[in-house]
């Protein structure tokens, strides 16, 4: 049990460091220093930085799944659920302005490195994509659901990148309002009486 | 003159490597190997990787300025000029699907590294932003010009990030069509006769 806790600490520290400073810029030694354990204890849990990356991606997939499930439990209106997704940009705006989106920046970095885990990292996007598409189906747009999901995912990624470049919280708020209005506009018209 | 040419070669190789594999993942030695020159000759031109980064950003700013000027010279219709900007996503789609957008991914990486050049890199975005805003002014939307410019810049960044994560050229084409339609919709209505 103590072993599991140390492993979780290592993964949490790596998750934070990969996000805040980047995967390539974070060394094995940086992670060990952040959890303040011996090199021997560290190696007992992870032999390579790639092993830690796999564990970080698994943790992010699990926490994303929990977040999406929680949004579904909050209510039945698919537009409200989609607004919960958009709302991450507001909730996390301070971190986003410093470090960008954790999903997008990791995918970008692993794509450049042509890293073996790049497709695993993209699965976090796929999880958002599939969830958003389900909400657009529920909203009454089955034929365009996947395209609408991809469009909204792209919009949120673009906001994260520019928010980080310009560190502009007003820009985030303006774009989030625009996205919320766009979601409302996606509801199919009510049938004529 | 020969010295200038070697310097240009170093900067061009670094520009490509920073884009294709990332700034942090590219070593001084990688750049020297790519231009096939001795360490002594290399050090004659650049003492640190940060010096090379400054030169790469300067080159990107200059080439961006030339590209924007060329688009202005092609015609007077601001909507057509904005479509030239959107068209980069199609022209460069193969590279974007492999390595993302060179501007956005460098800004993201330097922000994470809290690198001293992060604001210089963001100036490439500012150059696009100011140019796009001028086009929206010319289109007849002076009050919203900067917000429209930021919106379109964000949209293009989001497409680049997802195109890289999913390597989906159809997605790029669909979003580019949507952006072109959006630009047309930004023309103010003709005054009533």
């Amino acid at each position: 049990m103590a072993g599991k806790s140390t492993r979780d600490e290592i993964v949490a520290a790596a998750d934070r460091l990969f996000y805040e400073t980047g995967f390539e810029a974070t060394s094995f030694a940086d992670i060990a220093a952040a959890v303040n354990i011996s090199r021997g204890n560290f190696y007992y849990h992870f032999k390579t930085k790639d092993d830690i990356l796999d564990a970080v991606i698994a943790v992010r997939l699990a926490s994303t799944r929990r977040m999406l499930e929680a949004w579904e439990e909050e209510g039945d209106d698919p537009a409200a659920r989609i607004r919960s997704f958009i709302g991450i940009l507001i909730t996390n705006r301070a971190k986003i302005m410093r470090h960008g989106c954790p999903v997008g920046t990791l995918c970008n970095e692993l794509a450049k490195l042509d890293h073996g885990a790049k497709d695993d990292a993209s699965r976090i996007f796929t999880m958002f994509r599939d969830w958003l598409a389900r909400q657009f189906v529920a909203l009454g747009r089955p034929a365009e659901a996947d395209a609408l999901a991809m469009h909204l995912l792209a919009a949120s990624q673009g906001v994260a990148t520019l928010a980080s470049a310009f560190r502009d919280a007003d820009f985030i708020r303006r774009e989030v309002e625009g996205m919320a209005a766009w979601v409302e506009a996606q509801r199919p018209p009510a049938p004529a009486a």
Side-chain angles (χ1 to χ4, degrees), chain A:
Chain A
M1 279 297 148
K4 183 170 185 306
S5 159
T6 301
R7 188 184 188 281
D8 289 349
E9 272 181 53
I10 294 171
V11 175
D15 189 353
R16 182 175 59 77
L17 287 167
F18 291 169
Y19 176 40
E20 291 180 357
T21 67
F23 171 71
E24 186 73 11
T26 301
S27 69
F28 225 66
D30 293 333
I31 304 168
V35 289
N36 196 23
I37 61 173
S38 73
R39 196 162 265 263
N41 195 3
F42 199 101
Y43 277 107
Y44 170 78
H45 294 285
F46 293 102
K47 303 292 178 252
T48 69
K49 201 170 76 169
D50 285 350
D51 292 341
I52 306 179
L53 176 62
D54 289 343
V56 165
I57 292 172
V59 160
R60 289 190 185 183
L61 280 165
S63 66
T64 301
R65 179 171 289 119
R66 280 194 302 275
M67 183 172 67
L68 297 174
E69 286 170 356
W71 291 341
E72 295 218 44
E73 284 162 15
E74 275 169 20
D76 288 334
D77 179 16
R81 292 172 172 177
I82 298 169
R83 283 198 303 274
S84 295
F85 164 76
I86 299 168
I88 314 176
L89 288 166
I90 298 293
T91 310
N92 295 346
R93 65 189 182 281
K95 284 185 177 182
I96 289 171
M97 285 191 285
R98 277 202 304 275
H99 316 295
C101 166
V103 189
T105 54
L106 183 65
C107 283
N108 268 331
E109 187 178 4
L110 297 181
K112 277 184 199 292
L113 296 171
D114 201 17
H115 193 285
K118 68 179 180 183
D119 289 334
D120 281 336
S122 296
R123 285 173 55 214
I124 310 176
F125 270 142
T126 304
M127 196 175 271
F128 279 110
R129 175 185 184 164
D130 293 347
W131 185 88
L132 283 169
R134 280 210 311 281
Q135 309 313 318
F136 283 112
V137 169
L139 198 66
R141 301 290 299 275
E144 310 91 344
D146 182 61
L148 294 171
M150 282 291 280
H151 179 77
L152 188 61
L153 206 48
S156 69
Q157 282 300 306
V159 171
T161 296
L162 287 200
S164 158
F166 291 112
R167 277 155 280 163
D168 182 347
D170 287 341
F171 161 71
I172 300 178
R173 266 185 286 269
R174 201 170 60 225
E175 289 292 318
V176 161
E177 278 175 27
M179 281 186 231
W182 175 86
V183 172
E184 279 307 313
Q186 301 313 311
R187 288 187 197 273

